[in-house]
Amino acid sequence: MKKYAQTREESGEVLRVVIQRMAGQPAAFTPYNFTLWYEYVAGCNPRLTSAINAMLEGGKKLDDEAVDKLYGQFVEGEYHALREAMNKLVAQVAGVTAETGKQAHAFGNNLQSYGDSLKEGLDPSGMAHLISTMAGDTARLRDSMRQMESQLQASKQEVDQLHMELESARGEALSDPLTGVLNRRGFEAKVQPAFDDGTLSEKGGCLLMLDIDHFKKINDTYGHLFGDKVIRAIAQMLKSKVKGRDAVARLGGEEFAVFLPETARKGAIVVAEQIRQGVEMGKIRRLDTQEQIGGFTISIGVAEYAKGSTLVEMLDQADKALYSSKQNGRNRTTVFG
């Protein structure tokens, strides 16, 4: 399983946040320390994230001793433990299956022997003994099968637990490391069911695409760390606007998407304008000078679901509407069609 799924651009964003995090702790800037914070920021090691959060919330600092302990427990041991658990489980199931197979084979041989005895003819006493022996063999095989069923059920539960842990470990592949919202893959995974189960056909829906205006100028003027802060602030605003089956994703760079099922065009325009105006009125504090910087704007494109439309088609329509907003002066909402 690929643990680090970030692109070069995404890993660069993670790196900038990691440096900030490491600088606030007393531990040396070692490869072990960097790995801890990289996996923490990227969100690809849930157990490590929980452990660090617990330490920070408890007022503890990550010194060299804490880093060594966390690394050994949650980085070196994480996938080794899962692999060992899976190997043990496979061995258990193989052992149970082999033992039951041996008993079934022996039972088959016994049946052959009983058949031969019957062909030779048996007196009543011999017949009674044969029936008693067959009943005993059958009972033992039945008990063995029940034991195998019980152990296989327990094994299934272990498999389910391991599956949950592996799914948790791959969760980073569905989320954007800088903002914590969905990435494109996660967005598609969450949104596609609404196209498949008939939700959009019955209740409609809209998709917004938005882009931060003049983002390169923001980075050039205030630096990439501040640019990252702008992206995170907008992501948090978008998250505050969604509910239920709504979804927010960062598609890349300074571009976001918002999926609004059960929302008609009029309602989607209202949401889009609330977002646009909220961004324009917002201010973000610089880390170096503590100056409050405002005046940022976004452009938005809206696509409304039409019967038979696919997610790819709606993304394309919203993107075209977004392009129109950019071409017509930015800081505006445009509806496709």
Side-chain angles (χ1 to χ4, degrees):
M1 179 174 59
K2 185 178 180 182
K3 191 173 186 181
Y4 302 121
Q6 293 77 32
T7 64
R8 179 181 176 87
E9 181 183 30
E10 291 170 341
S11 62
E13 294 170 349
V14 172
L15 174 61
R16 291 195 291 273
V17 179
V18 165
I19 291 174
Q20 295 179 59
R21 293 283 192 167
M22 291 176 67
Q25 301 296 324
F29 296 100
T30 63
Y32 287 173
N33 194 15
F34 174 81
T35 301
L36 285 184
W37 283 111
Y38 188 97
E39 295 197 2
Y40 176 88
V41 173
C44 60
N45 193 329
R47 289 188 178 85
L48 173 65
T49 299
S50 297
I52 292 179
N53 284 339
M55 291 183 66
L56 298 179
E57 290 168 4
K60 296 180 181 179
K61 293 289 186 179
L62 268 70
D63 55 18
D64 292 326
E65 181 179 353
V67 166
D68 288 342
K69 183 177 179 181
L70 289 169
Y71 186 90
Q73 183 175 359
F74 297 105
V75 178
E76 283 185 334
E78 180 74 9
Y79 287 91
H80 176 74
L82 285 174
R83 185 170 58 252
E84 287 300 308
M86 186 62 75
N87 288 339
K88 181 180 178 181
L89 182 59
V90 169
Q92 287 175 347
V93 173
V96 171
T97 304
E99 180 61 29
T100 303
K102 285 171 58 179
Q103 293 195 27
H105 180 71
F107 184 73
N109 289 338
N110 288 343
L111 286 178
Q112 182 65 44
S113 175
Y114 301 150
D116 293 341
S117 297
L118 288 171
K119 289 177 182 178
E120 295 175 1
L122 294 173
D123 57 24
S125 176
M127 182 65 75
H129 176 73
L130 179 62
I131 292 173
S132 175
T133 303
M134 290 178 64
D137 287 346
T138 302
R140 282 189 291 275
L141 181 61
R142 183 176 62 248
D143 290 342
S144 177
M145 295 297 291
R146 285 176 177 171
Q147 182 181 8
M148 183 178 74
E149 181 181 1
S150 176
Q151 291 185 337
L152 288 177
Q153 180 61 33
S155 297
K156 179 183 180 301
Q157 294 174 356
E158 291 184 49
V159 168
D160 290 342
Q161 178 62 34
L162 288 171
H163 178 71
M164 289 174 60
E165 292 177 10
L166 289 171
E167 284 298 304
S168 179
R170 66 177 283 274
E172 94 289 348
L174 302 179
S175 62
D176 171 58
L178 180 64
T179 63
V181 301
L182 297 170
N183 61 15
R184 179 180 285 272
R185 180 180 174 186
F187 184 72
E188 291 173 353
K190 181 167 183 179
V191 170
Q192 187 60 48
F195 288 82
D196 297 336
D197 64 16
T199 296
L200 292 176
S201 295
E202 294 177 9
K203 302 179 180 180
C206 288
L207 191 150
L208 316 182
M209 286 187 70
L210 59 98
D211 186 271
I212 304 173
D213 295 328
H214 303 296
F215 187 69
K216 184 178 184 302
K217 183 178 179 181
I218 294 173
N219 278 336
D220 292 342
T221 303
Y222 303 109
H224 286 284
L225 289 177
F226 185 80
D228 289 346
K229 198 170 184 180
V230 173
I231 288 175
R232 287 196 296 270
I234 291 176
Q236 290 304 310
M237 173 179 288
L238 294 177
K239 286 175 67 175
S240 72
K241 299 295 183 182
V242 303
K243 61 184 185 302
R245 297 185 68 174
D246 296 353
V248 173
R250 182 183 175 211
L251 301 183
E254 63 273 22
E255 190 174 65
F256 293 85
V258 180
F259 178 61
L260 302 171
E262 303 180 29
T263 303
R265 177 187 298 208
K266 184 176 180 180
I269 294 173
V270 170
V271 173
E273 283 298 288
Q274 288 176 347
I275 293 170
R276 186 188 63 78
Q277 292 169 15
V279 170
E280 188 174 19
M281 292 186 295
K283 292 186 177 182
I284 299 174
R285 187 186 301 276
R286 291 186 63 174
L287 295 174
D288 49 359
T289 66
Q290 300 301 305
E291 178 186 3
Q292 294 276 7
I293 307 296
F296 308 111
T297 63
I298 59 174
S299 298
I300 304 176
V302 180
E304 185 177 22
Y305 176 78
K307 189 173 182 180
S309 294
T310 65
L311 174 57
V312 172
E313 289 170 342
M314 286 192 72
L315 284 168
D316 181 63
Q317 292 169 1
D319 187 55
K320 288 177 179 176
L322 170 60
Y323 180 77
S324 180
S325 289
K326 291 283 190 181
Q327 291 295 103
N328 287 288
R330 296 183 171 84
N331 191 25
R332 64 185 62 226
T333 296
T334 301
V335 180
F336 177 79

